[in-house]
Amino acid sequence: MMKIVEVGPRDGLQNEPGLVPVAAKVSLIEALVDAGLRHVECGSFVSAKWVPQMADTSAVFAKVRRVPGVSYSALVPNLMGLAEAIRCGVSEVAVFAAASETFSRRNINCSIDESLDRLGAVANEAKSHGMRVRGYVSCVLGCPYEGEIALAAVARVAGALAGMGCYEISLGDTIGVGTPRKAQDMVRAVTRTVPIKQLAVHFHDTWGQALANILATLETGIEAVDASVAGLGGCPYAKGASGNVATEDVVYMLDGLGVDTGVNLEKLAVAGRDIMQLLGRTTTSKAAAALAALKENLV
Ligand code: HMG
Ligand code: MG
């Protein structure tokens, strides 16, 4: 069984320039769960000045129908975000750091070490409330400002997140520059500080490598993959930004490999179709597009 962490409602929508109504976010999350996803990142408790689209995450959590056995998680950058997550009855939070110093400053306005101190306090407080804590490392295969990132830096940050009690560390190729062999080398380097069973991969598809990278990292023993329905993500106004690998494509590939995901591809594709219709966009998922074309021919 492969674990899929659906990040569309957070990583996908966070870059949308037009505010997406709360009801649409709630419908999306419920449709994803109905399709069989058991881990859905629903939003983030960050500064509304930094990410306006996520300002209504509390309202999303207040409205979403929670199915037992499903983890509805949220991203938190600091104790203030955690306090809001607690108030909203969130049972799993994700903290995020970067392997690149410049990216850390641009994304969360502090150095890597300052962020690790801050996140250590967040993780302790979250655990004392019985919450599960997941960790992200950004820029694991490259940084938009610094270019190549040393694998030792990735391993150090991942190890620090594991050390503060993150049950899983998601390795983020934030700008989607990685290629399969490099992705394998990166995962293997990180296993020097974090066991493979505790690692997940998070590929953005900017250079079209995400699916190939996932397959390559499965060969290293990875059993958890982040993905975004319809390939949501990327800003139409921000040059170069691109969404995560599409969940439909991941599910189609894993189905073909005989790896169980528990996800119904048809239902998932409908969830993707509906949110893309609302956003006025076409899906970037090849599997969803192929499925839709197949259906049209059958009618
Ligand atoms: P700062 O400006 O240094 O923070 O930002 P501050 O503590 O000085 O506070 C500034 C203002 O923000 C204050 O408000 C605070 O109250 C408010 P003011 O007094 O000016 O009115 N504030 C908050 N409001 C709501 N919720 C909070 C919060 N904290 C402070 N939690 C901060 C530091 C971390 C807050 C800011 O930089 C921030 O919110 N950054 C978030 C950036 C972000 O969300 N990026 C996207 C997610 S990461 C990602 O996408 C990568 C990932 O997908 C993996 C990958 O692909 O690599 C995970
Ligand atoms: Mg991301």
Side-chain angles (χ1 to χ4, degrees):
M1 180 91 172
M2 187 67 59
K3 173 179 174 183
I4 297 184
V5 179
E6 170 61 48
V7 296
R10 194 279 303 172
D11 205 345
L13 294 184
Q14 75 183 3
N15 291 310
E16 277 302 314
L19 288 186
V20 178
V22 170
K25 292 180 179 175
V26 169
S27 298
L28 171 64
I29 294 163
E30 290 179 351
L32 292 166
V33 171
D34 191 48
L37 287 152
R38 288 295 164 264
H39 304 267
V40 182
E41 205 170 72
C42 300
S44 57
F45 296 105
V46 298
S47 161
K49 282 184 199 142
W50 287 65
V51 189
Q53 183 65 253
M54 292 288 113
D56 58 9
T57 295
S58 302
V60 171
F61 273 100
K63 293 232 168 67
V64 80
R65 183 170 39 88
R66 298 192 213 184
V67 172
V70 175
S71 174
Y72 300 83
S73 64
L75 212 62
V76 299
N78 54 20
L79 286 169
M80 189 175 178
L82 180 68
E84 190 55 20
I86 293 167
R87 207 186 60 76
C88 293
V90 175
S91 55
E92 177 172 338
V93 289
V95 296
F96 52 109
S100 150
E101 204 61 61
T102 316
F103 187 86
S104 181
R105 289 189 184 278
R106 300 276 180 114
N107 194 37
I108 49 174
N109 205 23
C110 64
S111 71
I112 296 172
D113 285 340
E114 280 164 349
S115 79
L116 294 175
D117 281 350
R118 187 188 286 174
L119 298 182
V122 172
N124 276 339
E125 181 74 6
K127 282 182 287 171
S128 76
H129 282 82
M131 298 161 107
R132 304 228 300 162
V133 185
R134 191 172 197 247
Y136 278 106
V137 186
S138 285
C139 300
V140 298
L141 288 164
C143 168
Y145 313 108
E146 295 184 13
E148 287 226 355
I149 294 295
L151 296 186
V154 181
R156 179 179 86 88
V157 175
L161 291 172
M164 62 181 77
C166 292
Y167 77 94
E168 186 168 274
I169 316 297
S170 178
L171 301 167
D173 183 9
T174 317
I175 51 168
V177 286
T179 44
R181 194 63 52 75
K182 287 186 180 173
Q184 287 182 330
D185 291 347
M186 182 275 297
V187 168
R188 290 191 178 116
V190 175
T191 58
R192 286 187 214 122
T193 57
V194 184
I196 190 86
K197 296 271 178 264
Q198 238 177 297
L199 294 176
V201 288
H202 177 107
F203 291 109
H204 285 261
D205 202 27
T206 322
W207 290 81
Q209 303 296 299
L211 208 54
N213 289 341
I214 290 171
L215 183 58
T217 57
L218 296 185
E219 287 171 8
T220 67
I222 285 288
E223 289 176 0
V225 175
D226 297 0
S228 175
V229 69
L232 270 177
C235 173
Y237 305 108
K239 233 173 121 198
S242 174
N244 294 83
V245 65
T247 316
E248 296 93 320
D249 295 359
V250 174
V251 169
Y252 180 76
M253 180 178 80
L254 292 172
D255 280 352
L257 289 169
V259 177
D260 187 21
T261 61
V263 179
N264 179 306
L265 181 58
E266 300 231 350
K267 283 185 168 185
L268 178 63
V270 170
R273 183 202 63 195
D274 289 351
I275 186 67
M276 284 320 218
Q277 256 168 21
L278 183 110
L279 299 173
R281 295 255 203 89
T282 43
T283 185
T284 65
S285 164
K286 295 253 172 138
L291 205 56
L294 199 63
K295 290 224 153 129
E296 264 176 41
N297 290 341
L298 288 178
V299 174

